[in-house]
Amino acid sequence: MLNYFDPKKDSYLDPTKDYGTPASSSTQQVKLTIDGQAISAPEGTSVLRAAALAGINIPKLCASDNLESFGSCRLCAVEIENQRGMPAACTTPIRDGMQVTTQSPKVAKLRRNIMELYISDHPLDCLTCPANGDCELQDMAGAVGLREVRYGSQGENHLDAAKDTSNPYFTFDPSKCIVCSRCVRACEEVQGTFALTIDGRGFDSKVSVGVADNFMESDCVSCGACVQACPTSTLMENTVIDAGQPEHSIVTTCAYCGVGCSFEAQMRGDKLIKMVPYKGGEANSGHSCVKGRFAFSYATHPDRLTQPMIRDAITDAWREVSWDEAFEFSARKLRGIQAKHGRESIGGITSSRCTNEETYLVQKLIRAAFGNNNTDTCARVCHSPTGYGLKQTLGESAGTQTFESVLKADTVIVIGANPTDAHPVFGSLLRKRLRQGAKLIVIDPREIDLLNTPHAGESLHLPVRPGSNVAAVNALAHVIITDELEDKDFIAQRCDDEGYQAWRQFISEDRHSPEKTQQDTGIDPELIRQAAHAYGNAKNGAIYYGLGVTEHSQGSTMVMGIANLAMATGNIGREGVGVNPLRGQNNVQGSCDMGSFPHELPGYQSVADDNVRSRFEAIWNAKIDAEPGLRIPNMFDAAINGEFKGLYVQGEDIAQSDPNTLHVEAALKSLDCLIVQDIFLNETAKYAHVLLPGSTFLEKNGTFTNAERRINRVRKVMAPIAGKEDWEITQGLSNALGYPMEYAHPSEVMDEIAALTPTFSGVNYDKLEELGSIQWPCNDLKPLGTPTMHEEDFPIGKGRFCITEYIATSERTTRKFPLLLTTGRILSQYNVGAQTRRTGNQQWHDKDLLEVHPSDAELRGIRDGDSVSVTSRAGRTVFEVKISERMPAGVIYTTFHHPESGANVITTDNSDWATNCPEYKVTAVQIDKVTEQSDWQKSRSDFSDKQELLYSTTANSGNKNSNGRKNKDKT
Ligand code: SF4
Ligand code: SF4
Ligand code: SF4
Ligand code: FES
């Protein structure tokens, strides 16, 4: 097991050890003796933790180092010189000169008596209990020397209490409960959901899920914190109950969202039993959400592609081939296209789901082997405006803080993000800060769950009309300047004066006042003024934003507006402040860092720069085109025009995730060679000529970079089902194209990245092993990485204020399209749902629903559960309706996790002016009650059925993968 480095304490801690109570943040040391051993620990540390740090393990049951001490079990009783009784070590803070005795006949007798009472109301089935070998109650019974129980089990007990098996991932067996409250406290303190409570008193006390009948019907969001906290088998993973305790583990990184949680993949042989959030993971500090914790069965789902396949036309049946034949076929096709249509007629798309090393290799393949810069990434359709906007203003295309920084924020603005669903572990951290009293300002058309955080302080909701973000951020800045809330010192010292003066004049104009912008934003001017004062007057004000900022026609302008706001108030360059994009996918930051964009080599270095190119050319031994290549939408347009004929797509389902599906499908159908590298037969694969079966995060080595710029190791837990890690597939394709790649391990790819990318120059796998993770920039100046950016200055010297003129989107409501549709995510599903739809998470969300305000529904005679047709300028599809008041009247909302709903059939081609990031968040539509599917849905299912037939005809004919394994259920 790795020890993790805690840079704040300059020490190594054992992440497998429970130190009993949380660490104290005090810098004052206190000296005491425990069992005669002289020790010192920070003031505020409990006796229990101080002893644990010194290697003295006091028995405990109700205490855990991720929960505030509670003092209910009394098992940790100790004796303290000159103090009466036997105080609980977990609730007693250390004092200077304290002398503690943890072992004496008196405390031993007390502990045995306590344990005897627990065991007398506990099933005596240790040998057959699924927790056998991993049960704190069992361990503590041994630790206190309990040998017999004097009380029989004939009296009143809880041994027949019924199990709750409603949750797909864990079972609640109250017969084993010792009512230690760890689960209740974990749900409150760590997760912030407050789904559990202790009902009754004394002997009748029991854990309850509030007024609900069971976990599934309760407020529980299945984060697993209670399961992890439980010291018995009362709350236990079903996989452990079914398969037994794991035997070994490997630390790796979640492959869902941009929080980048670290997990121990706990294995039994080569079977993954459970994913346990890793306490040493600095992004998550031992917490998780339902996706990373439980939704991993997709990795062994029978739908996994296991064999390379090729076909000449998309109407042909697939042919299983060897890897070599698939590479040669692909190379022949691509070279043939280039010979006929020119060097620029092919390109590729990298994936934010894949590792840094894999992404780096794909863009290298395109630039060096294809000989052009036609590389783009799925970040194009999510956070490309972040890259552009932050680079223009702050000089670096990345968020400025660690997640933990939010614990020092006094006012937090959340714009166009829904962290409790889309970035749940960060959402829990933010909720913790809100419970501590930080103010919350949400700028979003929807009333997101964060606004209903239990026991939180003050909050404001600014329900901005979709498409008018820039008007809203300008109004906030207008109040900051005209009410003189700006930080004059920061601006004078850290920002470019000329730019500031121009911006100040612009933003002071009356047309940006809350009153004048109200018609566009729909926000009550008083709310804008209150929000501006809360942020402008905060000691520390932090901004977090998501795709509700970027996926607009003015996405880049809005990002610049946010950076302007932070610079104007001096909220940059220390903990508790900053500008923080919440990245959607696990490796969005990394895929951008690795040079996926057509105009930038790794590290955001311009392809037009001769010096940059010549450094890459020397190491790559290839000529690099100085002209930027095509972006994804340009590739689609060029394909439809017949100029672009070959596309290599690694791990992105563009047919489902990109806007205006009909246009995307037309482009894909125009290609002569579409190579899809993925783990499933996704929507895009239905138009493919080559299928290269990819590997999941469990089957590969590499690194992901999360939203904090944190580079985390991904470690191989099991062999790739199809025989190759994704980087090996790209390497095979490159070699077949005649451009040699000979890496033996992803660490060699990282060494090359470090040699070519100044912000990564200090990164290598050995250092990652030692430190656990590294936040870039990591170089000679910052050898341990950079938790907080821009502390002294900006990479561009002075911060640059940018003029953010509000230009209304052309996507406006009309009599024909009177409603605005906006989209978002839900906790249990992930993006296009390819993974989560193949897990137990389906039980929470098996279809996309259209949320419609009651007044809009009533006007059209629509009721909850009705089917409605949604028609936009781009297309038409049909959804089931859910009546909801979370959006204002005139705005409707849906998710996009299920291909059959076709959410992107109706989104348009409109995009951000600077980056072409699609305007997913604003589509003018009309809705009408209908009884049958749309034409697109009917034709899609016909086409899908045919494609699946073409695939299954092949896959069922004795298909074996390269390991000789049959293509069948491997769960
Ligand atoms: S799984 Fe999470 S949300 Fe559900 S009860 Fe446990 S701690 Fe609370
Ligand atoms: S379910 Fe587990 S954690 Fe919760 S009170 Fe019972 S024994 Fe303690
Ligand atoms: S918060 Fe994100 S990274 Fe963490 S477990 Fe959930 S999906 Fe994975
Ligand atoms: S561990 Fe201290 S009272 Fe329970």
Side-chain angles (χ1 to χ4, degrees), residues 767-779:
K767 196 187 271 186
L768 282 166
E769 288 298 321
E770 187 195 351
L771 299 181
S773 66
I774 298 171
Q775 286 175 275
W776 68 257
C778 173
N779 45 32

Side-chain angles (χ1 to χ4, degrees), residues 335-357:
R335 288 299 187 220
I337 290 170
Q338 284 189 305
K340 193 164 163 199
H341 299 278
R343 189 162 49 94
E344 303 292 332
S345 58
I346 63 172
I349 299 177
T350 71
S351 173
S352 296
R353 318 310 316 276
C354 288
T355 64
N356 285 317
E357 294 76 3

Side-chain angles (χ1 to χ4, degrees), residues 194-336:
F194 293 73
L196 302 177
T197 181
I198 300 284
D199 269 356
R201 297 176 142 242
F203 178 81
D204 292 328
S205 306
K206 61 174 201 264
V207 172
S208 124
V209 283
V211 291
D213 284 341
N214 55 44
F215 271 82
M216 204 55 183
E217 287 168 18
S218 73
D219 290 340
C220 168
V221 292
S222 282
C223 71
C226 57
V227 180
Q228 200 176 344
C230 184
T232 66
S233 64
T234 313
L235 281 160
M236 171 138 286
E237 295 90 347
N238 292 340
T239 47
V240 177
I241 295 171
D242 293 344
Q245 286 289 336
E247 294 160 335
H248 59 101
S249 69
I250 300 167
V251 176
T252 190
T253 304
C254 179
Y256 281 115
C257 85
V259 176
C261 296
S262 297
F263 281 87
E264 273 180 52
Q266 299 197 348
M267 314 285 294
R268 194 176 170 90
D270 64 355
K271 187 176 169 65
L272 177 57
I273 302 293
K274 59 176 175 173
M275 295 288 278
V276 178
Y278 179 57
K279 203 163 75 177
E282 289 179 296
N284 58 323
S285 301
H287 190 35
S288 61
C289 81
V290 60
K291 295 186 284 280
R293 176 78 155 99
F294 296 118
F296 53 81
S297 60
Y298 72 88
T300 46
H301 194 278
D303 287 353
R304 280 289 302 275
L305 299 175
T306 59
Q307 186 78 23
M309 297 196 198
I310 58 172
R311 60 182 176 180
D312 286 314
I314 62 168
T315 45
D316 291 350
W318 286 102
R319 262 194 310 125
E320 288 180 355
V321 291
S322 67
W323 279 105
D324 283 345
E325 193 176 345
F327 292 145
E328 276 156 27
F329 179 86
S330 307
R332 198 168 57 246
K333 280 248 182 195
L334 293 174
R335 288 299 187 220

Side-chain angles (χ1 to χ4, degrees), residues 110-154:
L110 176 66
R111 288 174 190 158
R112 265 199 304 276
N113 286 345
I114 292 167
M115 187 53 78
E116 198 178 354
L117 284 170
Y118 276 127
I119 298 296
S120 69
D121 189 10
H122 194 86
L124 297 174
D125 61 355
C126 282
L127 283 183
T128 51
C129 175
N132 190 18
D134 183 27
C135 172
E136 290 182 44
L137 188 69
Q138 191 181 44
D139 294 346
M140 288 305 121
V144 303
L146 186 70
R147 296 288 172 263
E148 58 169 345
V149 176
R150 288 168 290 168
Y151 320 107
S153 54
Q154 303 85 348

Side-chain angles (χ1 to χ4, degrees), residues 920-939:
Y920 288 114
K921 300 297 180 189
V922 195
T923 309
V925 296
Q926 177 59 295
I927 57 173
D928 303 288
K929 199 164 154 180
V930 291
T931 49
E932 56 174 28
Q933 289 187 314
S934 70
D935 292 345
W936 176 83
Q937 282 163 318
K938 285 184 208 151
S939 70

Side-chain angles (χ1 to χ4, degrees), residues 48 59-63 71-76 88-90:
L48 184 67
K60 64 176 189 62
L61 272 176
C62 70
S72 72
C73 75
R74 311 295 296 175
L75 205 65
C76 65
C90 63

